Amino acid sequence: MKIPGRKYIILLVFILSTISILRLLRLAITTSFSTTPRLPALHTAIQQACSSPSPVCDNVTSHGLDNPQTQYNTSANATLLTEKEFKVLFNLIQRKAPCNLLIFGLEHQYLNLSSINSGGITIFLEDDPEKISAIREQVNNYQVYKVEHQIPSKKAYDLLKHARKSTSCAPRPGILQNSTCKLAMKNLPPEVYQLKWDVIVVDGPSGHSPEAPGRMATIYTASMIARAGNRADVLVHDVDRTIEKWFSWEFLCDENLVSSKGKLWNFRITNASNSTRFCSQKATFTE
């Protein structure tokens, strides 16, 4: 058997190495594009949901998704809803509109929900003044209020133990503003406590680090507000994170989970004025 010369072996090694590098580059590029939520995906979700003409869908498309000048910048730590997650929320609001819609957190992709909810009430609660200032320059059918989130994410476990031991945190009837529970948000705009909410979305504050404000209080407060009405859908985003998962299980309850898509959970909460517990079965995953 004739053995190839040394130069042919070197050439063969070079060719194989080049092919391997090109394959790795192709894989890296494909992965980066497939895991990043993009604006066209949200546009596709709305187009699919609005497959037939309707005044609601006409109103949505007239408020910016087809406008190339619309900016969809988000904070560096924000996580956008994926196409499928956004479609779940879009379809829910479309079915319930006109309704009372309360959103903890403010991202551009949520603004079109107020157009879907034409004739209803849409309120955003946000702690970032820069985002509020930018949004208020736009004309739309919603209200934006600045709120303060002062509890860092690192306090989550201690707060969960406090809520389990303190009777002040129980889901009993009463005025949330006067609660002594450490998780109660007591300085929200008056209409947040006065209105009966149909849909509540929890996607703020960021909770992106141990020192950053977490969503412990927003999930608890959303649960209490939802129970003050007849029936409300509470949607929590980023449930792949520990705090969102723990507090959703504790105060919104697995038994109330009606749907999930990606990192978005949808709970349906009904009024239970005689109940002293959030869930029929106590969660034990943090004991």
Side-chain angles (χ1 to χ4, degrees):
M1 179 177 179
K2 188 175 181 180
I3 301 176
R6 183 177 179 182
K7 62 179 181 180
Y8 294 108
I9 295 177
I10 294 175
L11 179 61
L12 179 61
V13 170
F14 175 77
I15 293 173
L16 292 175
S17 300
T18 302
I19 293 174
S20 298
I21 292 173
L22 290 175
R23 286 180 176 176
L24 288 173
L25 287 174
R26 182 180 179 184
L27 178 61
I29 293 172
T30 303
T31 303
S32 65
F33 275 94
S34 64
T35 57
T36 304
R38 292 171 291 173
L39 175 60
L42 300 179
H43 197 170
T44 301
I46 290 183
Q47 287 179 328
Q48 291 175 349
C50 290
S51 56
S52 58
S54 72
V56 170
C57 293
D58 292 341
N59 198 17
V60 172
T61 55
S62 68
H63 279 80
L65 276 183
D66 289 320
N67 185 354
Q69 300 300 321
T70 302
Q71 298 298 316
Y72 283 82
N73 297 326
T74 61
S75 63
N77 300 304
T79 303
L80 290 177
L81 272 70
T82 64
E83 173 187 350
K84 292 181 179 180
E85 292 168 351
F86 183 80
K87 189 175 181 181
V88 168
L89 182 55
F90 180 96
N91 289 340
L92 177 64
I93 302 302
Q94 191 176 38
R95 289 196 305 269
K96 288 180 170 286
C99 66
N100 293 338
L101 170 62
L102 178 65
I103 302 178
F104 290 89
L106 180 59
E107 298 297 343
H108 277 280
Q109 67 180 149
Y110 286 136
L111 298 184
N112 289 283
L113 296 178
S114 62
S115 299
I116 305 170
N117 193 32
S118 178
I121 296 175
T122 303
I123 291 181
F124 293 93
L125 303 176
E126 174 59 47
D127 63 335
D128 187 340
E130 293 184 2
K131 291 169 67 174
I132 294 175
S133 177
I135 295 299
R136 280 180 175 167
E137 294 177 359
Q138 303 183 26
V139 178
N140 216 319
N141 182 32
Y142 54 78
Q143 296 171 280
V144 181
Y145 293 100
K146 186 179 185 304
V147 296
E148 298 292 337
H149 298 290
Q150 299 178 344
I151 307 177
S153 299
K154 64 183 180 181
K155 298 288 186 180
Y157 184 65
D158 291 337
L159 287 172
L160 194 55
K161 291 192 294 183
H162 159 75
R164 287 182 171 182
K165 294 177 181 178
S166 175
T167 57
S168 64
C169 296
R172 60 184 59 183
I175 301 176
L176 192 60
Q177 301 98 305
N178 297 333
S179 174
T180 58
C181 178
K182 295 179 181 179
L183 285 167
M185 298 182 69
K186 298 180 284 186
N187 297 313
L188 299 177
E191 52 264 54
V192 173
Y193 306 107
Q194 296 166 359
L195 293 174
K196 305 297 184 183
W197 297 98
D198 301 297
V199 180
I200 304 172
V201 179
V202 178
D203 200 10
S206 65
H208 63 276
S209 71
E211 300 298 332
R215 297 180 186 173
M216 302 83 69
T218 53
I219 293 175
Y220 171 82
T221 300
S223 174
M224 294 293 287
I225 292 174
R227 283 173 167 80
N230 295 322
R231 188 176 74 171
D233 282 84
V234 180
L235 296 96
V236 181
H237 192 222
D238 296 320
V239 293
D240 59 317
R241 305 193 303 194
T242 301
I243 290 175
E244 283 77 359
K245 187 177 299 181
W246 276 6
F247 281 75
S248 293
W249 281 341
E250 185 75 17
F251 301 114
L252 297 171
C253 311
D254 181 66
E255 65 208 53
N256 297 323
L257 184 66
V258 294
S259 67
S260 64
K261 182 65 66 175
K263 296 184 287 186
L264 183 70
W265 282 353
N266 181 12
F267 299 87
R268 186 155 297 149
I269 308 297
T270 56
N271 185 310
S273 57
N274 296 325
S275 176
T276 58
R277 298 173 60 177
F278 287 95
C279 309
S280 60
Q281 294 183 351
K282 182 179 178 181
T284 58
F285 50 89
T286 60
E287 296 290 5

